[in-house]
PDB file of all heavy atoms in Angstrom:
ATOM      1  N   ALA A   1      47.796 105.724  68.914  1.00  0.00           N
ATOM      2  CA  ALA A   1      48.448 104.856  67.940  1.00  0.00           C
ATOM      3  C   ALA A   1      49.882 104.545  68.359  1.00  0.00           C
ATOM      4  O   ALA A   1      50.366 103.417  68.164  1.00  0.00           O
ATOM      5  CB  ALA A   1      48.432 105.518  66.560  1.00  0.00           C
ATOM      6  N   TYR A   2      50.552 105.513  68.952  1.00  0.00           N
ATOM      7  CA  TYR A   2      51.926 105.305  69.428  1.00  0.00           C
ATOM      8  C   TYR A   2      51.947 104.275  70.549  1.00  0.00           C
ATOM      9  O   TYR A   2      52.773 103.353  70.547  1.00  0.00           O
ATOM     10  CB  TYR A   2      52.507 106.627  69.912  1.00  0.00           C
ATOM     11  CG  TYR A   2      53.888 106.517  70.532  1.00  0.00           C
ATOM     12  CD1 TYR A   2      54.974 106.061  69.788  1.00  0.00           C
ATOM     13  CD2 TYR A   2      54.096 106.879  71.864  1.00  0.00           C
ATOM     14  CE1 TYR A   2      56.245 105.958  70.359  1.00  0.00           C
ATOM     15  CE2 TYR A   2      55.363 106.783  72.434  1.00  0.00           C
ATOM     16  CZ  TYR A   2      56.425 106.327  71.680  1.00  0.00           C
ATOM     17  OH  TYR A   2      57.679 106.224  72.249  1.00  0.00           O
ATOM     18  N   ALA A   3      51.034 104.398  71.496  1.00  0.00           N
ATOM     19  CA  ALA A   3      50.965 103.427  72.595  1.00  0.00           C
ATOM     20  C   ALA A   3      50.663 102.025  72.075  1.00  0.00           C
ATOM     21  O   ALA A   3      51.290 101.042  72.493  1.00  0.00           O
ATOM     22  CB  ALA A   3      49.915 103.864  73.610  1.00  0.00           C
ATOM     23  N   ASP A   4      49.706 101.922  71.157  1.00  0.00           N
ATOM     24  CA  ASP A   4      49.380 100.619  70.570  1.00  0.00           C
ATOM     25  C   ASP A   4      50.592 100.026  69.855  1.00  0.00           C
ATOM     26  O   ASP A   4      50.888  98.828  69.969  1.00  0.00           O
ATOM     27  CB  ASP A   4      48.220 100.750  69.583  1.00  0.00           C
ATOM     28  CG  ASP A   4      46.901 101.100  70.248  1.00  0.00           C
ATOM     29  OD1 ASP A   4      46.796 100.965  71.490  1.00  0.00           O
ATOM     30  OD2 ASP A   4      45.972 101.522  69.532  1.00  0.00           O
ATOM     31  N   CYS A   5      51.300 100.867  69.105  1.00  0.00           N
ATOM     32  CA  CYS A   5      52.485 100.420  68.380  1.00  0.00           C
ATOM     33  C   CYS A   5      53.563  99.932  69.339  1.00  0.00           C
ATOM     34  O   CYS A   5      54.214  98.905  69.087  1.00  0.00           O
ATOM     35  CB  CYS A   5      53.016 101.570  67.529  1.00  0.00           C
ATOM     36  SG  CYS A   5      54.545 101.207  66.634  1.00  0.00           S
ATOM     37  N   MET A   6      53.739 100.637  70.444  1.00  0.00           N
ATOM     38  CA  MET A   6      54.772 100.253  71.400  1.00  0.00           C
ATOM     39  C   MET A   6      54.475  98.908  72.059  1.00  0.00           C
ATOM     40  O   MET A   6      55.381  98.124  72.324  1.00  0.00           O
ATOM     41  CB  MET A   6      54.947 101.339  72.466  1.00  0.00           C
ATOM     42  CG  MET A   6      55.568 102.627  71.952  1.00  0.00           C
ATOM     43  SD  MET A   6      57.255 102.385  71.266  1.00  0.00           S
ATOM     44  CE  MET A   6      56.903 102.278  69.506  1.00  0.00           C
ATOM     45  N   VAL A   7      53.208  98.641  72.326  1.00  0.00           N
ATOM     46  CA  VAL A   7      52.848  97.333  72.878  1.00  0.00           C
ATOM     47  C   VAL A   7      53.190  96.237  71.872  1.00  0.00           C
ATOM     48  O   VAL A   7      53.871  95.256  72.196  1.00  0.00           O
ATOM     49  CB  VAL A   7      51.347  97.278  73.241  1.00  0.00           C
ATOM     50  CG1 VAL A   7      50.932  95.846  73.581  1.00  0.00           C
ATOM     51  CG2 VAL A   7      51.050  98.201  74.421  1.00  0.00           C
ATOM     52  N   LYS A   8      52.757  96.403  70.638  1.00  0.00           N
ATOM     53  CA  LYS A   8      52.991  95.376  69.620  1.00  0.00           C
ATOM     54  C   LYS A   8      54.482  95.215  69.318  1.00  0.00           C
ATOM     55  O   LYS A   8      54.984  94.084  69.203  1.00  0.00           O
ATOM     56  CB  LYS A   8      52.240  95.744  68.336  1.00  0.00           C
ATOM     57  CG  LYS A   8      50.738  95.637  68.471  1.00  0.00           C
ATOM     58  CD  LYS A   8      50.050  95.968  67.157  1.00  0.00           C
ATOM     59  CE  LYS A   8      48.546  95.808  67.255  1.00  0.00           C
ATOM     60  NZ  LYS A   8      47.866  96.118  65.979  1.00  0.00           N
ATOM     61  N   ASP A   9      55.166  96.331  69.202  1.00  0.00           N
ATOM     62  CA  ASP A   9      56.595  96.257  68.887  1.00  0.00           C
ATOM     63  C   ASP A   9      57.379  95.550  69.984  1.00  0.00           C
ATOM     64  O   ASP A   9      58.323  94.796  69.708  1.00  0.00           O
ATOM     65  CB  ASP A   9      57.169  97.659  68.692  1.00  0.00           C
ATOM     66  CG  ASP A   9      56.899  98.216  67.297  1.00  0.00           C
ATOM     67  OD1 ASP A   9      56.249  97.513  66.494  1.00  0.00           O
ATOM     68  OD2 ASP A   9      57.344  99.343  67.013  1.00  0.00           O
ATOM     69  N   HIS A  10      57.012  95.792  71.222  1.00  0.00           N
ATOM     70  CA  HIS A  10      57.775  95.173  72.312  1.00  0.00           C
ATOM     71  C   HIS A  10      57.403  93.704  72.520  1.00  0.00           C
ATOM     72  O   HIS A  10      58.225  92.926  72.998  1.00  0.00           O
ATOM     73  CB  HIS A  10      57.633  95.992  73.593  1.00  0.00           C
ATOM     74  CG  HIS A  10      58.509  97.205  73.580  1.00  0.00           C
ATOM     75  ND1 HIS A  10      58.048  98.434  73.143  1.00  0.00           N
ATOM     76  CD2 HIS A  10      59.816  97.364  73.888  1.00  0.00           C
ATOM     77  CE1 HIS A  10      59.051  99.305  73.210  1.00  0.00           C
ATOM     78  NE2 HIS A  10      60.135  98.679  73.653  1.00  0.00           N
ATOM     79  N   VAL A  11      56.202  93.316  72.154  1.00  0.00           N
ATOM     80  CA  VAL A  11      55.894  91.886  72.129  1.00  0.00           C
ATOM     81  C   VAL A  11      56.806  91.202  71.101  1.00  0.00           C
ATOM     82  O   VAL A  11      57.416  90.162  71.371  1.00  0.00           O
ATOM     83  CB  VAL A  11      54.416  91.632  71.786  1.00  0.00           C
ATOM     84  CG1 VAL A  11      54.179  90.160  71.473  1.00  0.00           C
ATOM     85  CG2 VAL A  11      53.520  92.056  72.935  1.00  0.00           C
ATOM     86  N   ALA A  12      56.903  91.804  69.916  1.00  0.00           N
ATOM     87  CA  ALA A  12      57.742  91.232  68.862  1.00  0.00           C
ATOM     88  C   ALA A  12      59.217  91.246  69.255  1.00  0.00           C
ATOM     89  O   ALA A  12      59.952  90.291  68.983  1.00  0.00           O
ATOM     90  CB  ALA A  12      57.531  92.002  67.560  1.00  0.00           C
ATOM     91  N   ALA A  13      59.655  92.329  69.902  1.00  0.00           N
ATOM     92  CA  ALA A  13      61.063  92.425  70.307  1.00  0.00           C
ATOM     93  C   ALA A  13      61.403  91.382  71.368  1.00  0.00           C
ATOM     94  O   ALA A  13      62.470  90.753  71.311  1.00  0.00           O
ATOM     95  CB  ALA A  13      61.360  93.827  70.832  1.00  0.00           C
ATOM     96  N   VAL A  14      60.520  91.201  72.335  1.00  0.00           N
ATOM     97  CA  VAL A  14      60.765  90.185  73.364  1.00  0.00           C
ATOM     98  C   VAL A  14      60.832  88.802  72.731  1.00  0.00           C
ATOM     99  O   VAL A  14      61.703  87.987  73.074  1.00  0.00           O
ATOM    100  CB  VAL A  14      59.678  90.237  74.456  1.00  0.00           C
ATOM    101  CG1 VAL A  14      59.766  89.007  75.365  1.00  0.00           C
ATOM    102  CG2 VAL A  14      59.825  91.503  75.290  1.00  0.00           C
ATOM    103  N   GLU A  15      59.955  88.529  71.789  1.00  0.00           N
ATOM    104  CA  GLU A  15      59.994  87.226  71.120  1.00  0.00           C
ATOM    105  C   GLU A  15      61.318  87.037  70.379  1.00  0.00           C
ATOM    106  O   GLU A  15      61.938  85.966  70.455  1.00  0.00           O
ATOM    107  CB  GLU A  15      58.830  87.090  70.141  1.00  0.00           C
ATOM    108  CG  GLU A  15      58.792  85.724  69.453  1.00  0.00           C
ATOM    109  CD  GLU A  15      57.650  85.584  68.473  1.00  0.00           C
ATOM    110  OE1 GLU A  15      56.865  86.535  68.320  1.00  0.00           O
ATOM    111  OE2 GLU A  15      57.559  84.520  67.842  1.00  0.00           O
ATOM    112  N   LEU A  16      61.759  88.072  69.667  1.00  0.00           N
ATOM    113  CA  LEU A  16      63.025  87.996  68.951  1.00  0.00           C
ATOM    114  C   LEU A  16      64.177  87.718  69.913  1.00  0.00           C
ATOM    115  O   LEU A  16      65.028  86.852  69.656  1.00  0.00           O
ATOM    116  CB  LEU A  16      63.277  89.308  68.197  1.00  0.00           C
ATOM    117  CG  LEU A  16      64.650  89.454  67.546  1.00  0.00           C
ATOM    118  CD1 LEU A  16      64.829  88.454  66.406  1.00  0.00           C
ATOM    119  CD2 LEU A  16      64.855  90.883  67.042  1.00  0.00           C
ATOM    120  N   PHE A  17      64.216  88.445  71.027  1.00  0.00           N
ATOM    121  CA  PHE A  17      65.317  88.278  71.975  1.00  0.00           C
ATOM    122  C   PHE A  17      65.229  86.937  72.712  1.00  0.00           C
ATOM    123  O   PHE A  17      66.252  86.349  73.049  1.00  0.00           O
ATOM    124  CB  PHE A  17      65.343  89.445  72.957  1.00  0.00           C
ATOM    125  CG  PHE A  17      66.115  90.638  72.444  1.00  0.00           C
ATOM    126  CD1 PHE A  17      65.658  91.360  71.356  1.00  0.00           C
ATOM    127  CD2 PHE A  17      67.298  91.032  73.046  1.00  0.00           C
ATOM    128  CE1 PHE A  17      66.361  92.454  70.866  1.00  0.00           C
ATOM    129  CE2 PHE A  17      68.020  92.112  72.568  1.00  0.00           C
ATOM    130  CZ  PHE A  17      67.553  92.833  71.473  1.00  0.00           C
ATOM    131  N   GLU A  18      64.027  86.453  72.954  1.00  0.00           N
ATOM    132  CA  GLU A  18      63.897  85.120  73.554  1.00  0.00           C
ATOM    133  C   GLU A  18      64.428  84.056  72.598  1.00  0.00           C
ATOM    134  O   GLU A  18      65.111  83.111  73.019  1.00  0.00           O
ATOM    135  CB  GLU A  18      62.443  84.843  73.914  1.00  0.00           C
ATOM    136  CG  GLU A  18      61.961  85.602  75.140  1.00  0.00           C
ATOM    137  CD  GLU A  18      60.500  85.344  75.459  1.00  0.00           C
ATOM    138  OE1 GLU A  18      59.779  84.855  74.564  1.00  0.00           O
ATOM    139  OE2 GLU A  18      60.078  85.640  76.583  1.00  0.00           O
ATOM    140  N   ASN A  19      64.104  84.195  71.316  1.00  0.00           N
ATOM    141  CA  ASN A  19      64.638  83.260  70.330  1.00  0.00           C
ATOM    142  C   ASN A  19      66.160  83.348  70.277  1.00  0.00           C
ATOM    143  O   ASN A  19      66.858  82.336  70.166  1.00  0.00           O
ATOM    144  CB  ASN A  19      64.049  83.560  68.944  1.00  0.00           C
ATOM    145  CG  ASN A  19      62.584  83.187  68.838  1.00  0.00           C
ATOM    146  OD1 ASN A  19      62.094  82.356  69.596  1.00  0.00           O
ATOM    147  ND2 ASN A  19      61.877  83.807  67.908  1.00  0.00           N
ATOM    148  N   GLY A  20      66.675  84.582  70.353  1.00  0.00           N
ATOM    149  CA  GLY A  20      68.120  84.761  70.356  1.00  0.00           C
ATOM    150  C   GLY A  20      68.776  84.152  71.566  1.00  0.00           C
ATOM    151  O   GLY A  20      69.830  83.509  71.469  1.00  0.00           O
ATOM    152  N   SER A  21      68.158  84.336  72.713  1.00  0.00           N
ATOM    153  CA  SER A  21      68.714  83.774  73.943  1.00  0.00           C
ATOM    154  C   SER A  21      68.775  82.255  73.883  1.00  0.00           C
ATOM    155  O   SER A  21      69.703  81.631  74.408  1.00  0.00           O
ATOM    156  CB  SER A  21      67.873  84.218  75.146  1.00  0.00           C
ATOM    157  OG  SER A  21      68.402  83.706  76.351  1.00  0.00           O
ATOM    158  N   ALA A  22      67.773  81.662  73.242  1.00  0.00           N
ATOM    159  CA  ALA A  22      67.696  80.201  73.187  1.00  0.00           C
ATOM    160  C   ALA A  22      68.612  79.598  72.125  1.00  0.00           C
ATOM    161  O   ALA A  22      69.039  78.444  72.262  1.00  0.00           O
ATOM    162  CB  ALA A  22      66.257  79.774  72.915  1.00  0.00           C
ATOM    163  N   SER A  23      68.940  80.358  71.070  1.00  0.00           N
ATOM    164  CA  SER A  23      69.625  79.728  69.944  1.00  0.00           C
ATOM    165  C   SER A  23      70.991  80.319  69.606  1.00  0.00           C
ATOM    166  O   SER A  23      71.794  79.649  68.952  1.00  0.00           O
ATOM    167  CB  SER A  23      68.739  79.793  68.689  1.00  0.00           C
ATOM    168  OG  SER A  23      68.459  81.138  68.331  1.00  0.00           O
ATOM    169  N   LEU A  24      71.281  81.538  70.016  1.00  0.00           N
ATOM    170  CA  LEU A  24      72.572  82.134  69.670  1.00  0.00           C
ATOM    171  C   LEU A  24      73.693  81.512  70.501  1.00  0.00           C
ATOM    172  O   LEU A  24      73.549  81.317  71.706  1.00  0.00           O
ATOM    173  CB  LEU A  24      72.542  83.649  69.896  1.00  0.00           C
ATOM    174  CG  LEU A  24      71.694  84.466  68.925  1.00  0.00           C
ATOM    175  CD1 LEU A  24      71.610  85.913  69.392  1.00  0.00           C
ATOM    176  CD2 LEU A  24      72.263  84.398  67.504  1.00  0.00           C
ATOM    177  N   THR A  25      74.799  81.234  69.844  1.00  0.00           N
ATOM    178  CA  THR A  25      75.962  80.695  70.549  1.00  0.00           C
ATOM    179  C   THR A  25      77.113  81.700  70.595  1.00  0.00           C
ATOM    180  O   THR A  25      78.083  81.484  71.312  1.00  0.00           O
ATOM    181  CB  THR A  25      76.449  79.405  69.874  1.00  0.00           C
ATOM    182  OG1 THR A  25      76.761  79.673  68.499  1.00  0.00           O
ATOM    183  CG2 THR A  25      75.380  78.326  69.954  1.00  0.00           C
ATOM    184  N   ASP A  26      77.006  82.764  69.812  1.00  0.00           N
ATOM    185  CA  ASP A  26      78.018  83.811  69.835  1.00  0.00           C
ATOM    186  C   ASP A  26      78.065  84.445  71.227  1.00  0.00           C
ATOM    187  O   ASP A  26      77.057  84.924  71.733  1.00  0.00           O
ATOM    188  CB  ASP A  26      77.674  84.872  68.775  1.00  0.00           C
ATOM    189  CG  ASP A  26      78.669  86.014  68.753  1.00  0.00           C
ATOM    190  OD1 ASP A  26      78.548  86.898  69.627  1.00  0.00           O
ATOM    191  OD2 ASP A  26      79.557  86.021  67.888  1.00  0.00           O
ATOM    192  N   LYS A  27      79.223  84.424  71.844  1.00  0.00           N
ATOM    193  CA  LYS A  27      79.361  84.842  73.240  1.00  0.00           C
ATOM    194  C   LYS A  27      78.917  86.283  73.468  1.00  0.00           C
ATOM    195  O   LYS A  27      78.140  86.558  74.393  1.00  0.00           O
ATOM    196  CB  LYS A  27      80.811  84.658  73.691  1.00  0.00           C
ATOM    197  CG  LYS A  27      81.057  85.045  75.142  1.00  0.00           C
ATOM    198  CD  LYS A  27      82.516  84.826  75.516  1.00  0.00           C
ATOM    199  CE  LYS A  27      82.767  85.276  76.955  1.00  0.00           C
ATOM    200  NZ  LYS A  27      84.203  85.074  77.334  1.00  0.00           N
ATOM    201  N   ASP A  28      79.403  87.210  72.656  1.00  0.00           N
ATOM    202  CA  ASP A  28      79.089  88.621  72.866  1.00  0.00           C
ATOM    203  C   ASP A  28      77.621  88.928  72.580  1.00  0.00           C
ATOM    204  O   ASP A  28      76.979  89.691  73.305  1.00  0.00           O
ATOM    205  CB  ASP A  28      79.986  89.501  72.001  1.00  0.00           C
ATOM    206  CG  ASP A  28      81.434  89.488  72.468  1.00  0.00           C
ATOM    207  OD1 ASP A  28      81.661  89.225  73.676  1.00  0.00           O
ATOM    208  OD2 ASP A  28      82.335  89.726  71.645  1.00  0.00           O
ATOM    209  N   LEU A  29      77.087  88.346  71.503  1.00  0.00           N
ATOM    210  CA  LEU A  29      75.674  88.565  71.188  1.00  0.00           C
ATOM    211  C   LEU A  29      74.780  87.978  72.270  1.00  0.00           C
ATOM    212  O   LEU A  29      73.779  88.586  72.671  1.00  0.00           O
ATOM    213  CB  LEU A  29      75.320  87.936  69.836  1.00  0.00           C
ATOM    214  CG  LEU A  29      75.464  88.803  68.587  1.00  0.00           C
ATOM    215  CD1 LEU A  29      75.034  88.018  67.352  1.00  0.00           C
ATOM    216  CD2 LEU A  29      74.673  90.096  68.705  1.00  0.00           C
ATOM    217  N   LYS A  30      75.119  86.780  72.734  1.00  0.00           N
ATOM    218  CA  LYS A  30      74.319  86.131  73.774  1.00  0.00           C
ATOM    219  C   LYS A  30      74.323  86.977  75.052  1.00  0.00           C
ATOM    220  O   LYS A  30      73.280  87.133  75.712  1.00  0.00           O
ATOM    221  CB  LYS A  30      74.900  84.741  74.062  1.00  0.00           C
ATOM    222  CG  LYS A  30      74.140  83.932  75.102  1.00  0.00           C
ATOM    223  CD  LYS A  30      72.796  83.463  74.575  1.00  0.00           C
ATOM    224  CE  LYS A  30      72.231  82.316  75.416  1.00  0.00           C
ATOM    225  NZ  LYS A  30      72.133  82.622  76.857  1.00  0.00           N
ATOM    226  N   LYS A  31      75.470  87.521  75.407  1.00  0.00           N
ATOM    227  CA  LYS A  31      75.551  88.375  76.588  1.00  0.00           C
ATOM    228  C   LYS A  31      74.689  89.613  76.420  1.00  0.00           C
ATOM    229  O   LYS A  31      73.969  90.034  77.339  1.00  0.00           O
ATOM    230  CB  LYS A  31      77.010  88.774  76.834  1.00  0.00           C
ATOM    231  CG  LYS A  31      77.216  89.638  78.066  1.00  0.00           C
ATOM    232  CD  LYS A  31      78.693  89.953  78.256  1.00  0.00           C
ATOM    233  CE  LYS A  31      78.904  90.855  79.472  1.00  0.00           C
ATOM    234  NZ  LYS A  31      80.350  91.179  79.653  1.00  0.00           N
ATOM    235  N   PHE A  32      74.742  90.214  75.220  1.00  0.00           N
ATOM    236  CA  PHE A  32      73.912  91.384  74.924  1.00  0.00           C
ATOM    237  C   PHE A  32      72.432  91.053  75.035  1.00  0.00           C
ATOM    238  O   PHE A  32      71.649  91.800  75.629  1.00  0.00           O
ATOM    239  CB  PHE A  32      74.240  91.904  73.524  1.00  0.00           C
ATOM    240  CG  PHE A  32      73.270  92.929  73.006  1.00  0.00           C
ATOM    241  CD1 PHE A  32      73.319  94.240  73.445  1.00  0.00           C
ATOM    242  CD2 PHE A  32      72.304  92.572  72.075  1.00  0.00           C
ATOM    243  CE1 PHE A  32      72.422  95.188  72.973  1.00  0.00           C
ATOM    244  CE2 PHE A  32      71.397  93.507  71.589  1.00  0.00           C
ATOM    245  CZ  PHE A  32      71.453  94.817  72.044  1.00  0.00           C
ATOM    246  N   VAL A  33      72.049  89.928  74.460  1.00  0.00           N
ATOM    247  CA  VAL A  33      70.645  89.513  74.480  1.00  0.00           C
ATOM    248  C   VAL A  33      70.154  89.318  75.904  1.00  0.00           C
ATOM    249  O   VAL A  33      69.103  89.845  76.301  1.00  0.00           O
ATOM    250  CB  VAL A  33      70.458  88.210  73.677  1.00  0.00           C
ATOM    251  CG1 VAL A  33      69.092  87.599  73.945  1.00  0.00           C
ATOM    252  CG2 VAL A  33      70.627  88.479  72.184  1.00  0.00           C
ATOM    253  N   ASP A  34      70.891  88.571  76.689  1.00  0.00           N
ATOM    254  CA  ASP A  34      70.438  88.240  78.038  1.00  0.00           C
ATOM    255  C   ASP A  34      70.417  89.464  78.958  1.00  0.00           C
ATOM    256  O   ASP A  34      69.622  89.523  79.904  1.00  0.00           O
ATOM    257  CB  ASP A  34      71.333  87.149  78.633  1.00  0.00           C
ATOM    258  CG  ASP A  34      71.126  85.809  77.944  1.00  0.00           C
ATOM    259  OD1 ASP A  34      70.078  85.628  77.296  1.00  0.00           O
ATOM    260  OD2 ASP A  34      72.025  84.942  78.042  1.00  0.00           O
ATOM    261  N   LYS A  35      71.271  90.432  78.684  1.00  0.00           N
ATOM    262  CA  LYS A  35      71.272  91.651  79.490  1.00  0.00           C
ATOM    263  C   LYS A  35      70.147  92.595  79.075  1.00  0.00           C
ATOM    264  O   LYS A  35      69.607  93.326  79.911  1.00  0.00           O
ATOM    265  CB  LYS A  35      72.628  92.368  79.351  1.00  0.00           C
ATOM    266  CG  LYS A  35      72.782  93.550  80.294  1.00  0.00           C
ATOM    267  CD  LYS A  35      74.173  94.139  80.204  1.00  0.00           C
ATOM    268  CE  LYS A  35      74.309  95.318  81.183  1.00  0.00           C
ATOM    269  NZ  LYS A  35      75.662  95.923  81.131  1.00  0.00           N
ATOM    270  N   THR A  36      69.782  92.568  77.801  1.00  0.00           N
ATOM    271  CA  THR A  36      68.779  93.491  77.272  1.00  0.00           C
ATOM    272  C   THR A  36      67.361  92.985  77.456  1.00  0.00           C
ATOM    273  O   THR A  36      66.426  93.775  77.613  1.00  0.00           O
ATOM    274  CB  THR A  36      69.040  93.748  75.773  1.00  0.00           C
ATOM    275  OG1 THR A  36      70.383  94.208  75.591  1.00  0.00           O
ATOM    276  CG2 THR A  36      68.087  94.797  75.215  1.00  0.00           C
ATOM    277  N   LEU A  37      67.180  91.683  77.447  1.00  0.00           N
ATOM    278  CA  LEU A  37      65.840  91.096  77.497  1.00  0.00           C
ATOM    279  C   LEU A  37      64.999  91.571  78.690  1.00  0.00           C
ATOM    280  O   LEU A  37      63.816  91.897  78.516  1.00  0.00           O
ATOM    281  CB  LEU A  37      65.951  89.570  77.480  1.00  0.00           C
ATOM    282  CG  LEU A  37      64.659  88.764  77.377  1.00  0.00           C
ATOM    283  CD1 LEU A  37      63.777  89.238  76.225  1.00  0.00           C
ATOM    284  CD2 LEU A  37      64.984  87.278  77.225  1.00  0.00           C
ATOM    285  N   PRO A  38      65.541  91.642  79.909  1.00  0.00           N
ATOM    286  CA  PRO A  38      64.712  92.135  81.025  1.00  0.00           C
ATOM    287  C   PRO A  38      64.206  93.558  80.809  1.00  0.00           C
ATOM    288  O   PRO A  38      63.077  93.892  81.189  1.00  0.00           O
ATOM    289  CB  PRO A  38      65.662  92.059  82.227  1.00  0.00           C
ATOM    290  CG  PRO A  38      66.671  91.020  81.855  1.00  0.00           C
ATOM    291  CD  PRO A  38      66.866  91.189  80.381  1.00  0.00           C
ATOM    292  N   THR A  39      65.025  94.390  80.178  1.00  0.00           N
ATOM    293  CA  THR A  39      64.608  95.762  79.913  1.00  0.00           C
ATOM    294  C   THR A  39      63.471  95.800  78.902  1.00  0.00           C
ATOM    295  O   THR A  39      62.531  96.583  79.033  1.00  0.00           O
ATOM    296  CB  THR A  39      65.795  96.589  79.403  1.00  0.00           C
ATOM    297  OG1 THR A  39      66.828  96.558  80.387  1.00  0.00           O
ATOM    298  CG2 THR A  39      65.391  98.028  79.154  1.00  0.00           C
ATOM    299  N   LEU A  40      63.543  94.959  77.890  1.00  0.00           N
ATOM    300  CA  LEU A  40      62.470  94.908  76.899  1.00  0.00           C
ATOM    301  C   LEU A  40      61.166  94.453  77.532  1.00  0.00           C
ATOM    302  O   LEU A  40      60.084  94.935  77.178  1.00  0.00           O
ATOM    303  CB  LEU A  40      62.857  93.975  75.749  1.00  0.00           C
ATOM    304  CG  LEU A  40      64.024  94.439  74.875  1.00  0.00           C
ATOM    305  CD1 LEU A  40      64.362  93.371  73.839  1.00  0.00           C
ATOM    306  CD2 LEU A  40      63.697  95.764  74.195  1.00  0.00           C
ATOM    307  N   ARG A  41      61.251  93.530  78.469  1.00  0.00           N
ATOM    308  CA  ARG A  41      60.041  93.095  79.170  1.00  0.00           C
ATOM    309  C   ARG A  41      59.467  94.247  80.004  1.00  0.00           C
ATOM    310  O   ARG A  41      58.239  94.421  80.073  1.00  0.00           O
ATOM    311  CB  ARG A  41      60.355  91.890  80.044  1.00  0.00           C
ATOM    312  CG  ARG A  41      60.591  90.613  79.251  1.00  0.00           C
ATOM    313  CD  ARG A  41      60.981  89.458  80.140  1.00  0.00           C
ATOM    314  NE  ARG A  41      61.099  88.208  79.382  1.00  0.00           N
ATOM    315  CZ  ARG A  41      61.969  87.260  79.664  1.00  0.00           C
ATOM    316  NH1 ARG A  41      62.827  87.411  80.656  1.00  0.00           N
ATOM    317  NH2 ARG A  41      62.014  86.152  78.933  1.00  0.00           N
ATOM    318  N   ASP A  42      60.343  95.015  80.624  1.00  0.00           N
ATOM    319  CA  ASP A  42      59.872  96.198  81.356  1.00  0.00           C
ATOM    320  C   ASP A  42      59.224  97.203  80.407  1.00  0.00           C
ATOM    321  O   ASP A  42      58.200  97.803  80.721  1.00  0.00           O
ATOM    322  CB  ASP A  42      61.038  96.866  82.085  1.00  0.00           C
ATOM    323  CG  ASP A  42      61.387  96.166  83.385  1.00  0.00           C
ATOM    324  OD1 ASP A  42      60.576  95.343  83.856  1.00  0.00           O
ATOM    325  OD2 ASP A  42      62.468  96.428  83.927  1.00  0.00           O
ATOM    326  N   HIS A  43      59.830  97.374  79.244  1.00  0.00           N
ATOM    327  CA  HIS A  43      59.252  98.293  78.251  1.00  0.00           C
ATOM    328  C   HIS A  43      57.847  97.851  77.853  1.00  0.00           C
ATOM    329  O   HIS A  43      56.956  98.686  77.677  1.00  0.00           O
ATOM    330  CB  HIS A  43      60.134  98.338  77.005  1.00  0.00           C
ATOM    331  CG  HIS A  43      61.409  99.093  77.191  1.00  0.00           C
ATOM    332  ND1 HIS A  43      62.339  99.233  76.182  1.00  0.00           N
ATOM    333  CD2 HIS A  43      61.912  99.760  78.265  1.00  0.00           C
ATOM    334  CE1 HIS A  43      63.363  99.944  76.626  1.00  0.00           C
ATOM    335  NE2 HIS A  43      63.123 100.262  77.887  1.00  0.00           N
TER     336      HIS A  43
END
């Protein structure tokens, strides 16, 4: 159940961060998003 949850959660997290990368204009948040997104994809 933990493994299944981690797959689903990280699909949702990647989608959230992709949306953030595409739409956020705040400089610091955008930098955080773009730096974190590759790690979430690895997760």
Side-chain angles (χ1 to χ4, degrees):
Y2 175 62
D4 292 345
C5 177
M6 291 299 98
V7 170
K8 291 182 178 180
D9 279 1
H10 282 93
V11 168
V14 168
E15 182 180 359
L16 172 67
F17 274 67
E18 286 178 342
N19 289 338
S21 181
S23 61
L24 289 172
T25 57
D26 179 280
K27 181 180 177 180
D28 290 335
L29 270 181
K30 182 71 162 55
K31 181 178 178 181
F32 169 77
V33 167
D34 290 341
K35 187 175 181 180
T36 305
L37 186 51
T39 301
L40 293 176
R41 288 177 175 146
D42 280 346
H43 286 179

